[in-house]
Amino acid sequence: MEHYHCDQMMCHSSDICPQPISSAEGTEDGSGYEEALDIVEINKDLNLHEGDIRLMTGRDRNIVVGNQFRWELPVPYVLHESLDLNAKGVVLRAFDQIRLKTCIDFKPWEDEPHYIVVIQDDGCWSYVGNQHQGNQSVSIGQWCDHLAIVEHEFLHALGFWHEQSRYDRDEYVTVVWENIEKGREHNFLKHSSNYTTTLGTMYDYTSVMHYNKDAFSNGNGSTIITNLPEYQDVIGQRLEMSSNDVLKLQKLYNCTSAVTFRMSCSFEDERVCDMTLCAAGNTSWERVGSTKAGPFSDHTSLSSQGENQTESAHGNGTANQNGGGSFMHCSTVSGKEGDGAKMQSRKMNPKRQIQCLQFFYFHSGSDKDQLNIWIREYDREDEETTYLMGQITGPPTSHWQLHHVSLNATRPFQVEFEVRKGAGNSLGGFSVDDINLFETECPHHVWHIPNIDHFLINSSVGTSLLSPRFITRQSYGLQLLLHLYSDHFGVFFRLVSTDHDDQLQWPCVWRQVTVSLLDQSHHIQQRMSKQISITTDSERTFIGDSGEIFHYWDNPRKLGHLINDTNRESYYAGPNLGYRTFLSLDAFRSGNFIKGGSIFFFLSFDDLSTLRLSGSDPPKPQIWSNMNHVTLMKTDDKGTCLNQMMGSTTTIVTPSFISSFAVSLPTGTIFTMLTATVALISGNLPLTL
């Protein structure tokens, strides 16, 4: 897939009142494609086995990938100097996803006898399993630098053949031989049951290892027809590994745990994920299915369509409109200021020094109520130290909100959700659902688009939606654009001006922008999100109206357009770059991307300059100072939990770690969709929203 730049677009997601504006039918930058190329298309002239597999000379292609073809873990790797910088970043992200979902880990090569060398050769290809030939290549060539393609090739390297080559495939799909390009029929041969195994798993139409319906077609129609018609447009998905891919990988390597996954909780079990609940005063955490003031349902079972979840507060709502599951709710309707309730996770042992806590919350109480996020660390004598990691307060919300808190536990720890009742009248309280904890870096920014169906239904082709302006950790301004086409939408990004521009290095190069549309499945290991990455470089230029040459990633004040948006904000915006075909509308609606009418884009902005020099060592999580003022109200200490925290523990409100949470620039009413004020304590530099 090639990158394109497009004209300026001006419709803000905070309003959700789209208007026709400039099209993103921008100038094609070099020779490229408007939509993603699949592996078969990228490799069409390479004549590889099954399209992307290299075979060792003299070896049976059907050989069982047994113990001798498994890798010792962690798998050593080298990112070769030939590899494109963007591809290096995508490979490292693929490693993170594999670590999150399986027991497979990777490490930079340290003279191990057998290791993987990731190169940029013609096309995308791999050998199957560990061939015990010293350095074993995996090619991530031009057009291959997409998460799902990298996962596909590494699953080959770890021991997988293609899904449609299973010996039982005829029970699930029909190969249309007359539609196959002449001379390519061998790519559809089945592997014998005498030499291969299905590992006892069901056939997987959603596998990232499956051909698409038109693979090797001669133009007369599809080459693969699914026996279940509803999967005809599903096979060949290039989002992420499926749950069954994960299961097979775990079985192949005889393991059940995952490297960086720590916990997931959707509160469907009455045991509430073995959490400890305790309270002081008249507040308490309760497992419920709906609340009078909202939300009307849990987030886990929320349908794709959903309106304002607080209408019942005005006499118009109905409980349990969409869901049927449970969530945790702490009411602040009664009681006195300072009453508190705590919900503590089980004790966990960190394997890394960085964790990300992700959860959905709903706020229906007073704007003075607080949801505080703490961690309790335990030393060898089981003495506790308690750190305040985050705080949510402010006006009530009308939708489930997604929130991340970066942690840095180095000793056994617990995560604690604490609600404290504030001053003023409350109609509800705080609700929490779908908690996930994992040991990778949190996304830098989140773009929440509520009522996305209104945008899709009421907008004409060519309409675009603008995100808030985000300020990156390096203080660059960044903005996303969602552009609507007839049957799909595109995603673009651009640099925008901030008050820091005169202090920054220009042009802004070797930064990787990664955008991910979140699959809102409750369990992070079951998600199949859509992700793209683009890395800024020093060579991309364009010609201005007067014939002058501009660097694409130069200061927006120098080369951009002045934008006066609908929120009466003025700023300069540089040229847009992105993908015209990010996701089809059919795939968008059939996935788990929409819940309650809301979608979430994750945005990260990583400095990859060290990868140009070191090659294989991943960039370390950056230290970024972001301290907002946090107020902890006085509280009654007669309750068990508050006695535990304040009596027998050390409480630290200003921990020494630096959070990776990033804030967005204040852009007027753009912040109406961010309905809670988020405050974190970290470092010693005050930064106010």
Side-chain angles (χ1 to χ4, degrees), residues 352-355 375 377 389 406-410 656-658:
R352 298 184 165 196
Q353 295 185 9
I354 183 170
Q355 302 88 32
I375 62 169
E377 280 195 320
M389 308 303 290
S406 292
L407 313 178
N408 72 331
T410 59
S656 59
F657 73 95
I658 305 299

Side-chain angles (χ1 to χ4, degrees), residues 248-316:
K248 285 186 288 188
L249 196 55
Q250 297 282 68
K251 286 193 171 188
L252 183 61
Y253 282 82
N254 296 318
C255 58
T256 56
S257 62
V259 178
T260 60
F261 172 75
R262 287 295 157 264
M263 67 164 285
S264 181
C265 184
S266 59
F267 301 108
E268 299 310 305
D269 192 319
E270 292 183 359
R271 294 172 56 190
V272 295
C273 308
D274 296 323
M275 290 197 175
T276 301
L277 308 180
C278 39
N282 292 322
T283 62
S284 63
W285 283 103
E286 296 180 288
R287 179 173 170 265
V288 299
S290 65
T291 67
K292 183 177 180 180
F296 305 140
S297 75
D298 66 325
H299 180 268
T300 308
S301 56
L302 194 64
S303 68
S304 61
Q305 297 179 350
E307 298 298 329
N308 187 308
Q309 286 262 318
T310 57
E311 290 178 352
S312 66
H314 306 286
N316 301 319

Side-chain angles (χ1 to χ4, degrees), residues 39-50:
I39 297 169
V40 171
E41 299 166 298
I42 297 170
N43 295 352
K44 64 180 180 179
D45 297 323
L46 300 182
N47 197 29
L48 295 168
H49 178 68
E50 293 189 12

